[in-house]
Amino acid sequence: MNIYLDESGDLGWVFDKPFQHGGSSRYLTITAVIIPKSLSYCPKRIVKKVYSKRKQSTAIEIKGKDLSKEELIGFAQRVVRLLRRQPSIKISAITVKKENVQPHIQSDPNKLYNYMVNLALLDKIKKFSIVDFIPDPRSIKVKSQNSLVDYLQTKLWFEYNSATVIRYMPTESHLNINLQFTDFVSYIIWRRYEYNKSDAFNILKSHTILKDLFF
């Protein structure tokens, strides 16, 4: 089983200024795509269709924030068709309302990030013997990526009584189209909260596992 992980938003805490004008995002969304290795070609096809319609090479990475409203809606529709055809593929996301996070937690965003990944992921993978955990190392804005893997592995073994082994395989998203797929999905979910834009989100929401934190 492969797990692709990406995020939208940031881990900053500046709320007295507008986002992207000296201020931080008000929300952070972390998204995991859980997919059998035998089906790992499926998300790639959807992302490549985005590139193809733009007549753009995959050598130049497209991020979710680069997509138009129409492209996001078309992408969401294709994702839903995939999830209906292949129910073993799961999308799990968690969004935190950062303004409600207590100051003592804000002082150590590493722990918040790790906890969010735990809530989004572990109960979905606890029955698998081995999972390949594939985040974009550039997207995890915390002090130690290894601490995340150690935390998740410890939780699985001791709290979930699971024998699942996590193999950590970070890959930069411009080299992995399935991570780009995860970025697109994460952006659709995050923009619903950050910008109150629900068009593509409304298509996806009933086909994804969504959690909120500090709402």
Side-chain angles (χ1 to χ4, degrees):
M1 191 66 71
N2 287 352
I3 302 164
Y4 300 93
L5 189 82
D6 210 344
E7 68 198 37
S8 294
D10 59 49
L11 279 168
W13 307 100
V14 180
F15 301 130
D16 59 349
K17 297 178 182 177
F19 177 48
Q20 295 184 326
H21 295 279
S24 306
S25 69
R26 272 50 180 178
Y27 298 88
L28 171 69
T29 296
I30 300 174
T31 300
V33 176
I34 306 162
I35 183 167
K37 291 182 182 298
S38 61
L39 297 176
S40 61
Y41 66 93
C42 295
K44 295 177 184 177
R45 288 181 172 176
I46 294 176
V47 174
K48 286 180 177 178
K49 190 154 188 87
V50 175
Y51 283 88
S52 176
K53 287 197 167 192
R54 285 187 166 210
K55 297 180 171 58
Q56 181 172 324
S57 167
T58 55
I60 303 173
E61 183 182 2
I62 298 172
K63 304 293 284 185
K65 62 183 177 61
D66 301 323
L67 300 179
S68 68
K69 172 183 173 181
E70 291 71 23
E71 287 175 316
L72 290 170
I73 289 172
F75 171 80
Q77 290 169 337
R78 290 189 288 275
V79 172
V80 168
R81 288 197 291 269
L82 169 62
L83 296 176
R84 285 173 174 162
R85 288 196 315 270
Q86 303 290 355
S88 60
I89 300 174
K90 307 293 183 186
I91 296 175
S92 178
I94 184 167
T95 300
V96 63
K97 187 173 184 179
K98 291 162 49 189
E99 291 168 296
N100 289 345
V101 175
Q102 300 96 320
H104 68 282
I105 299 176
Q106 293 182 21
S107 68
D108 191 350
N110 183 75
K111 288 185 174 60
L112 173 64
Y113 191 100
N114 291 357
Y115 182 64
M116 290 175 68
V117 176
N118 156 46
L119 292 180
L121 188 59
L122 293 193
D123 62 339
K124 318 298 184 304
I125 66 170
K126 63 184 179 181
K127 294 182 180 179
F128 301 119
S129 57
I130 298 174
V131 296
D132 288 345
F133 181 59
I134 309 167
D136 181 349
R138 298 175 302 173
S139 75
I140 299 181
K141 306 172 186 68
V142 291
K143 294 178 182 177
S144 172
Q145 297 167 38
N146 288 327
S147 73
L148 169 60
V149 179
D150 290 344
Y151 168 75
L152 297 177
Q153 189 69 84
T154 300
K155 294 278 286 185
L156 279 169
W157 286 356
F158 292 96
E159 289 190 20
Y160 285 85
N161 194 28
S162 165
T164 302
V165 173
I166 300 175
R167 298 194 299 199
Y168 179 50
M169 305 176 69
T171 307
E172 293 188 3
S173 61
H174 71 281
L175 301 174
N176 190 303
I177 293 179
N178 281 345
L179 276 174
Q180 295 174 39
F181 175 93
T182 310
D183 170 75
F184 291 2
V185 173
S186 193
Y187 179 74
I188 286 172
I189 297 168
W190 172 79
R191 89 194 259 274
R192 178 259 180 268
Y193 295 95
E194 192 73 30
Y195 300 124
N196 197 28
K197 294 184 177 179
S198 300
D199 34 45
F201 174 82
N202 285 341
I203 296 168
L204 275 181
K205 66 179 180 181
S206 61
H207 300 274
T208 56
I209 304 162
L210 301 171
K211 292 184 177 179
D212 295 335
L213 186 62
F214 294 121
F215 273 67

